[in-house]
Amino acid sequence: MLEAMRVSQTSLPVIDIAGLSSPKLSDRQAVAARLRAACLHNGFFYISNHGIDEALVNDVFAEAAAFFALPAEVKAEVDKSRSKANRGYEPLQGQTLEPGAPPDLKEGYYIGPEHASDDARVLAGMFNHGANQWPASRPRFKLVMEAYLNVMLELSARMMRGIALSLDLPEDYFAGYCTDAMATVRLLHYPPQPAHGNPAQKGAGAHTDFGGLTLLRQDDIGGLQVWNQGTGGWIHADPVPGTYVVNLGDMIARWTNDSYRSTLHRVVNASGRERYSVPFFYTGNYAHKVECIPTCLSPGEQPKYPPITVEEHMRAMYRRTYK
């Protein structure tokens, strides 16, 4: 079933996060209270007044569309298979997010923090650490994507301070996690869903995200669908101009003993048009230990999961979707 209901802001609220930048703790706590309600409900919400320059966002989408329009042989020059750090181009149907379903009807491009070949983490073989690949035919691509990566790292760290407050923790509780943080800018292109294609094949199969936070910018096409925990059905997360759709990943659910939700979502591009989106996956410091947060345990309750490092968690998640 590919149908979904239209979203209401009761299910996916729009949270104004300007208060997270306020010098007043009460303003930051007010935003944190709204974050807490959304994270306990289904872990999906929109954020507005986030401070990211819309001109930069437009540049990111323009460069993404221009890259995906290149000939296949040109895109293959920066194929992800050439990278030890999972950076570069991923061809159409290169990933299967939903177990048992056909490969996803999308192509992508992975960009992350730059690590030189002599970086200690690269020499140690730390997962996903290394150099990016850049398309030679798009001279502005690197400049735009690096600028976007940097501002999104700052926004994500700000969001984690809000998440800490929402859990009745010190605001800097996740400071170590946010130091030398790993993240991925992922450019995605979804061709239109074929009219008479396999009904089980989607742009992105139903899945939860792997890491900490995902901050998604969509074009105006739509297609993102979120599983509604309350009604047991799919709802559209329609584009809201100027906002990000934010969702929690499996690692935050694990950290909070599943009190904060990592929720199934998928993409079905039934628009008949090309769809582009840019998720930003904030993963954090790969050496950081993730263990149950004390404020997420009721008296007498035990952690559901043993401690794990971010790197160990991410290796396990990649094994799940890349065979």
Side-chain angles (χ1 to χ4, degrees):
M1 293 285 290
L2 300 183
E3 294 81 7
M5 295 177 62
R6 287 291 147 194
V7 71
S8 73
Q9 288 193 16
T10 303
S11 300
L12 298 182
V14 179
I15 301 175
D16 184 332
I17 65 163
L20 290 181
S21 301
S22 170
K24 295 181 180 179
L25 177 60
S26 59
D27 291 342
R28 303 195 299 275
Q29 288 174 327
V31 177
R34 294 204 67 196
L35 292 176
R36 178 176 178 81
C39 292
L40 288 171
H41 182 230
N42 62 15
F44 261 88
F45 49 93
Y46 297 81
I47 59 170
S48 62
N49 286 323
H50 42 71
I52 304 300
D53 185 354
E54 289 299 299
L56 176 57
V57 174
N58 291 338
D59 284 347
V60 170
F61 274 87
E63 285 296 327
F67 173 80
F68 289 125
L70 293 172
E73 62 272 17
V74 176
K75 290 186 284 191
E77 293 173 0
V78 287
D79 193 282
K80 192 162 67 76
S81 63
R82 299 171 179 261
S83 168
K84 294 181 179 179
N86 286 305
R87 310 288 178 82
Y89 174 64
E90 181 175 75
L92 197 66
Q93 304 187 71
Q95 186 181 39
T96 303
L97 284 168
E98 184 174 337
D104 295 342
L105 196 61
K106 68 179 188 299
E107 57 181 338
Y109 201 104
Y110 290 74
I111 301 147
E114 191 76 32
H115 301 109
S117 58
D118 60 352
D119 186 292
R121 292 161 294 187
V122 175
L123 294 174
M126 189 167 277
F127 188 56
N128 276 359
H129 286 63
N132 288 295
Q133 298 192 84
W134 303 110
S137 58
R138 299 296 310 169
R140 290 194 70 244
F141 188 95
K142 177 182 178 182
L143 179 69
V144 168
M145 299 308 165
E146 287 186 332
Y148 188 68
L149 174 69
N150 288 332
V151 297
M152 291 303 294
L153 284 168
E154 189 282 325
L155 172 57
S156 300
R158 196 182 342 143
M159 289 295 297
M160 290 303 299
R161 292 194 292 273
I163 296 291
L165 287 175
S166 80
L167 291 163
D168 296 321
L169 298 168
E171 205 165 359
D172 64 353
Y173 183 86
F174 295 110
Y177 172 72
C178 296
T179 302
D180 293 327
M182 284 293 291
T184 301
V185 175
R186 192 173 182 192
L187 313 176
L188 291 172
H189 168 228
Y190 297 87
Q193 201 82 19
H196 303 291
N198 185 337
Q201 185 171 47
K202 307 165 192 74
H207 66 286
T208 56
D209 287 345
F210 301 160
L213 298 177
T214 302
L215 298 93
L216 171 74
R217 284 307 291 256
Q218 309 182 71
D219 62 12
D220 61 356
I221 299 299
L224 174 63
Q225 299 177 2
V226 177
W227 185 252
N228 189 320
Q229 310 258 9
T231 64
W234 294 99
I235 55 175
H236 287 283
D238 289 328
V240 176
T243 69
Y244 283 86
V245 179
V246 179
N247 66 279
L248 308 181
D250 297 338
M251 195 158 56
I252 295 292
R254 181 183 183 120
W255 225 331
T256 62
N257 220 38
D258 290 332
S259 60
Y260 276 15
R261 306 277 193 147
S262 177
T263 295
L264 280 172
H265 52 286
R266 66 186 188 182
V267 173
V268 179
N269 182 17
S271 67
R273 299 160 60 189
E274 309 295 318
R275 178 184 189 264
Y276 300 90
S277 71
V278 183
F280 182 82
F281 299 105
Y282 188 72
T283 315
N285 188 318
Y286 267 42
H288 196 76
K289 183 183 288 186
V290 175
E291 53 189 331
C292 185
I293 294 169
T295 59
C296 297
L297 287 176
S298 301
E301 187 180 11
Q302 295 298 313
K304 296 179 181 179
Y305 309 101
I308 194 172
T309 66
V310 172
E311 179 181 22
E312 289 166 342
H313 172 79
M314 292 303 293
R315 284 186 182 275
M317 295 299 100
Y318 267 71
R319 285 194 296 268
R320 192 170 72 185
T321 61
Y322 290 107
K323 305 303 181 187

